[in-house]
Amino acid sequence: MGARRTAVLGSVLTLLAAPALAACSGSSEDDVRAAARAFLDDWTAGDADAAAAATTNPDAARALLRQTATDLPGAALTAELGDVTVDDGTATAGWSATWDLAAAPDWTYDATLELQEGEEGWQVVAEPAVVHPELGEGQRLQLTRALPERAAVTDAAGAPLFAPTEVVNVGVDTAQVTDLPALATALSAATGVAAEEITADVQAAPPGQFVPVITLRRPDFEAIRAQVFDLPGAVFPTETRLLAPSARFASALLGRVGSATAEVIEETTDDGVAAYAAGDQLGLSGLQRALQEQLTGTPGFTVSVVSTDETTGDAGRQVAAVEPVPGEPVRTPLVRPLQEAADAAVATQPLATHLVVVRPGTGEVLAVSSNEAAAAGNALTGQFPPGSSMKAITATALLSAGTLTPATPVACPGTTVVDGREFENQDQFDLGTVPFTEAFAQSCNTTFIEAGLQLPDDALAAAAASYGVGTDWQLPVDVFSGSVPADSAGTTKAADAIGQGQVLVSPAQMALVAAGIASGTPAAPVEVVGAPAAGPAPEGPGQAVLDQLRPLMRQVVLTGTATALADRGEVHGKTGTAEFGSNTPPDSHGWFIGYQLAGPQGDIAFAVLVEAGQSSSAAVGVTDAFLGNLG
């Protein structure tokens, strides 16, 4: 039987039992069952008027059912009719009530309906026990929800990543403003929020209302305190929020916990409690939202019978209780020193920059970092051309096909023409004929285009897939695994070979590619320790290919396009400059993908993307800062 949410209506009432009607003989059990069923059907459908009309006192019953809707806000009732007994004009129908309570477990109990036979047939006796067997005259139900403590999201060591943190809400009290343009200009200069936005918000607010401008952690507020504290109209209420160690700390993965805590919401409205339990609180995202049910646990509740006269101070009599069940912690593979080193490194770039770190062999995501200029989500889900960082995959295809070896002499002219379209090296450098190792280290586009055109059309896609590119990862927080077409030809095939054309990847997936090369055992990404695998582990290109590919990537650092990293330990990598957009000349993203063996944090693989960095040197610089931060 379907049930829908009952309306929150009604007022406090006192029920008087209706006088018994004259009994008639000859009614059957089936008639009693039909009358009870009709009453319950109307009630569970939320039609209090229709249900009340089937009782001995419609006015009293209507008030009772509406009061119950108020007492159990947002709840839906399901009723199971049980045994029926008939005795000389009176009858009893047993039934089982199950209330689907918003933001709380179901509440089930057994009850009975008393019925009387009258001139219009069988009617339900309008008495408080219709709702609950322990409910009497002058009483109502009182529901109190109990939210459990939210479980922690932890780092790889099991330490909680979110902690209660004092914040300052910088805002405006409209009643205290003496010069709005001056106030808006000063607040904008200190906070970075547009003065026009501040002005518009204040003008739209009622007199005396607090208008928020920005919320800052206490240290960040102290840095601007002298600029704003004495401004007429500026006010600074404080509160405590659950926050990560820093504003950008792995935000693409972790998401946020909003300002609303269980305690705050419990003290406000029933709708607020439901929103909290459902994960609809302000700012909830990332793992915090994806794993909301696990983190929140199961709310509990108590139901008491209390007086309808609120002036009595009646504490009530408890008739039902379910204890809340705490949530279960979520352990991430994030490593604080790596995350902090990554955050500091991307902060050195004014352009939008991302850095993702992965553990070779396991696929564990150790750090996800984006700077203030970047959309944090792009570190995981952004779709970017990889440019020459793709040559690690193209080289995999060439080595797998046996087309060449690291020592094979290859031509590296300044330009090459495919189907009438000219492709060139950066600044049209021309190496002549050199070993493939040198062409890779110097990132010779023309070498890779000419060699790539000789491969089967699906070879590049197959090589990419061996590292997991193109896999539909099943993760709490999405990762774009990339797209490499298997049917490109001509100029598109040539462009794909150097990471242009139709090839797209995310920083996270390129870090996984580097990790697969480092370990020889590519792995599915891991965002939560102990969670089900995000997908089948990629097969990898095979040991023979990796034995040739790894020295190529080491040479990039020793003598090629990333020599700035030569003093950062045993680093292997590949640079990339990826053209995009319609400008002439086109803008370019800067990439570096690679890995460090036996470093301060063990073996790590990483990908760095500087959006519109114009060359790979920007990404190499961020990588250098990152590795330097590790010691």
Side-chain angles (χ1 to χ4, degrees):
M1 173 188 62
R4 67 184 177 91
R5 302 280 179 185
T6 54
V8 181
L9 299 169
S11 59
V12 177
L13 62 126
T14 301
L15 288 175
L16 298 176
L21 299 179
C24 301
S25 61
S27 295
S28 68
E29 180 180 318
D30 289 343
D31 292 336
V32 172
R33 182 175 295 277
R37 179 76 278 163
F39 170 79
L40 292 174
D41 283 350
D42 288 335
W43 185 14
T44 57
D47 192 342
D49 290 341
T55 70
T56 57
N57 188 335
D59 290 341
R62 184 182 302 109
L64 171 67
L65 299 183
R66 289 180 175 176
Q67 180 66 47
T68 302
T70 300
D71 296 337
L72 306 176
L77 174 64
T78 301
E80 283 283 337
L81 188 59
D83 294 336
V84 170
T85 59
V86 182
D87 182 17
D88 192 24
T90 63
T92 300
W95 69 290
S96 177
T98 298
W99 289 95
D100 178 5
L101 302 175
D106 289 352
W107 174 33
T108 298
Y109 56 86
D110 293 328
T112 58
L113 298 177
E114 299 296 331
L115 294 93
Q116 291 181 353
E117 188 178 23
E119 294 179 357
E120 298 181 4
W122 289 96
Q123 295 177 308
V124 173
V125 177
E127 59 181 353
V130 163
V131 171
H132 189 276
E134 296 193 40
L135 191 64
E137 294 180 15
Q139 295 178 327
R140 64 179 182 85
L141 299 177
Q142 183 179 74
L143 170 68
T144 303
R145 296 178 182 83
L147 292 170
E149 181 178 355
R150 186 179 184 84
V153 177
T154 76
D155 61 17
L161 287 170
F162 290 81
T165 304
E166 184 184 19
V167 297
V168 179
N169 295 302
V170 178
V172 175
D173 181 347
T174 56
Q176 299 182 33
V177 176
T178 58
D179 186 343
L180 180 56
L183 174 63
T185 298
L187 287 175
S188 177
T191 66
V193 178
E196 298 80 3
E197 180 180 338
I198 297 172
T199 299
D201 288 346
V202 172
Q203 290 176 337
Q209 179 174 307
F210 173 75
V211 179
V213 174
I214 194 171
T215 299
L216 300 172
R217 295 167 188 250
R218 172 61 73 176
D220 295 330
F221 171 73
E222 293 301 329
I224 67 166
R225 180 187 181 93
Q227 296 174 257
V228 300
F229 196 75
D230 294 326
L231 295 173
V235 290
F236 314 98
T238 63
E239 64 176 305
T240 298
R241 298 188 181 184
L242 278 176
L243 298 179
S246 64
R248 306 290 290 185
F249 192 97
S251 59
L253 179 62
L254 296 178
R256 296 169 177 262
V257 172
S259 60
T261 64
E263 292 76 16
V264 170
I265 296 177
E266 183 67 83
E267 293 171 1
T268 56
T269 66
D270 291 303
D271 289 343
V273 176
Y276 175 83
D280 293 331
Q281 66 195 104
L282 177 65
L284 204 61
S285 58
L287 289 178
Q288 291 285 352
R289 185 172 186 87
L291 301 177
Q292 165 73 356
E293 185 175 346
Q294 176 180 340
L295 290 166
T296 300
T298 304
F301 68 89
T302 60
V303 179
S304 300
V305 171
V306 299
S307 172
T308 55
D309 184 355
E310 297 181 359
T311 65
T312 64
D314 180 16
R317 180 177 75 262
Q318 183 174 296
V319 295
V322 173
E323 291 297 317
V325 178
E328 297 181 8
V330 171
R331 184 180 178 187
T332 74
L334 293 172
V335 176
R336 284 182 191 246
L338 286 169
Q339 183 66 49
E340 292 165 354
D343 288 345
V346 300
T348 64
Q349 255 295 337
L351 298 170
T353 301
H354 312 277
L355 198 167
V356 179
V357 187
V358 171
R359 183 74 73 192
T362 69
E364 292 173 310
V365 178
L366 308 180
V368 181
S369 186
S370 300
N371 64 4
E372 290 286 347
N378 281 346
L380 300 178
T381 61
Q383 302 184 20
F384 302 94
S388 290
S389 65
M390 180 70 182
K391 289 172 184 170
I393 295 174
T394 306
T396 298
L398 293 170
L399 295 169
S400 297
T403 303
L404 44 70
T405 70
T408 300
V410 293
C412 178
T415 63
T416 189
V417 177
V418 178
D419 293 345
R421 176 184 171 184
E422 184 177 79
F423 292 85
E424 63 182 35
N425 296 329
Q426 186 174 7
D427 299 326
Q428 296 189 4
F429 71 81
D430 187 337
L431 300 181
T433 298
V434 295
F436 182 60
T437 295
E438 185 173 350
F440 186 94
Q442 300 302 327
S443 201
C444 183
N445 288 337
T446 56
T447 298
F448 277 82
I449 288 171
E450 292 176 358
L453 288 171
Q454 307 309 309
L455 290 169
D457 290 346
D458 63 349
L460 199 59
S466 74
Y467 296 116
V469 176
T471 302
D472 182 17
W473 301 125
Q474 300 299 305
L475 292 160
V477 180
D478 287 343
V479 166
F480 174 63
S481 68
S483 175
V484 179
D487 57 358
S488 297
T491 56
T492 301
K493 184 177 181 180
D496 288 349
I498 58 171
Q500 300 284 175
Q502 298 177 344
V503 177
L504 294 172
V505 293
S506 65
Q509 185 59 50
M510 290 307 283
L512 289 164
V513 170
I517 296 170
S519 67
T521 54
V526 175
E527 295 177 343
V528 175
V529 176
E539 294 183 358
Q543 193 61 47
V545 170
L546 293 172
D547 286 344
Q548 298 176 82
L549 180 59
R550 290 166 181 155
L552 298 180
M553 296 181 70
R554 179 63 175 149
Q555 207 61 33
V556 170
V557 175
L558 294 178
T559 64
T561 54
T563 53
L565 304 175
D567 62 349
R568 295 302 184 191
E570 191 176 346
V571 178
H572 299 62
K574 184 67 192 78
T575 55
T577 301
E579 295 180 349
F580 71 96
S582 58
N583 290 340
T584 303
D587 292 316
S588 298
H589 299 308
W591 282 90
F592 184 79
I593 70 167
Y595 57 93
Q596 182 190 58
L597 300 178
Q601 292 294 326
D603 295 351
I604 57 172
F606 40 82
V608 175
L609 168 64
V610 180
E611 297 184 43
Q614 306 309 332
S615 79
S616 62
S617 61
V620 171
V622 173
T623 306
D624 185 49
F626 166 62
L627 296 176
N629 292 338
L630 295 179

